[in-house]
Amino acid sequence: MTYEEMKNKHQEEYDTFAKDKIFYIFTSSKEEFEKKLKEYGLSKEDICSIGFGGFIKKKDKEELKNLTQRHRKEKQEAIEQDKDGSGFIKSMFIYELWSHEFAYTYDTEDTLNDLGYTMEQINNDKALKNGLDLAIQCFYRD
């Protein structure tokens, strides 16, 4: 499975979960917030924030935690299985380099930050280093 395929699979799973369990309230007043909660049939005691105006029922929080942990684990396992960096890792870097406009900036910093890596970590891991080098080469072809 490529990185993009895994990302799409994970996004579909998250969207399916979120469709019925995550809701957003954007308001600056306590009264409006409480009015919105009533529309959902909830109270402040029923929910917890997931950030950026998003909320989830407390009873669903563990399920969301398990989903995100599984996604991280699947990604990490795919990275670990790519022993030379020419498969999943390369596809990961190509996807994220495109997403972070490497073709215009030729700067890997945003990509590495988004993936949670430092250049030191990349340089100390042969598979990651090779995968990044292979991905960058794709941007320099005529």
Side-chain angles (χ1 to χ4, degrees):
M1 176 180 296
T2 67
Y3 178 77
E4 184 174 10
E5 290 167 340
M6 180 178 285
K7 216 169 159 58
N8 290 339
K9 175 184 165 274
H10 287 172
Q11 187 64 53
E12 284 179 31
E13 291 174 356
Y14 179 83
D15 290 346
T16 299
F17 173 86
K19 182 177 73 171
D20 297 322
K21 299 184 180 180
I22 294 177
F23 57 96
Y24 295 86
I25 301 176
F26 301 104
T27 180
S28 59
S29 80
K30 182 179 176 181
E31 293 78 22
E32 284 184 50
F33 181 81
E34 289 176 3
K35 181 181 173 188
K36 281 288 192 187
L37 282 179
K38 283 183 182 179
E39 288 175 22
Y40 288 113
L42 299 168
S43 71
K44 286 193 284 188
E45 291 75 32
D46 296 328
I47 64 168
C48 59
S49 172
I50 58 169
F52 305 105
F55 295 88
I56 189 169
K57 293 177 186 174
K58 287 180 180 177
K59 71 178 186 70
D60 296 325
K61 186 178 177 181
E62 190 69 22
E63 187 178 354
L64 176 60
K65 178 183 167 188
N66 292 338
L67 178 71
T68 57
Q69 285 178 340
R70 181 174 56 80
H71 287 174
R72 278 193 297 274
K73 182 179 177 193
E74 287 175 3
K75 179 181 163 190
Q76 187 58 42
E77 287 172 353
I79 290 169
E80 290 170 4
Q81 290 172 6
D82 186 2
K83 300 297 183 194
D84 69 357
S86 65
F88 184 84
I89 294 171
K90 176 184 170 187
S91 73
M92 173 181 74
F93 283 124
I94 290 172
Y95 182 93
E96 294 299 343
L97 287 167
W98 274 112
S99 294
H100 292 89
E101 299 185 347
F102 177 80
Y104 300 107
T105 66
Y106 296 103
D107 184 355
T108 61
E109 185 177 357
D110 289 341
T111 296
L112 297 183
N113 285 339
D114 193 49
L115 289 170
Y117 291 113
T118 64
M119 200 62 212
E120 182 180 356
Q121 289 171 303
I122 299 296
N123 287 329
N124 290 327
D125 185 304
K126 289 180 184 180
L128 290 174
K129 174 81 170 108
N130 189 48
L132 179 58
D133 289 345
L134 292 170
I136 288 173
Q137 287 174 16
C138 294
F139 289 85
Y140 290 105
R141 294 188 180 158
D142 293 331

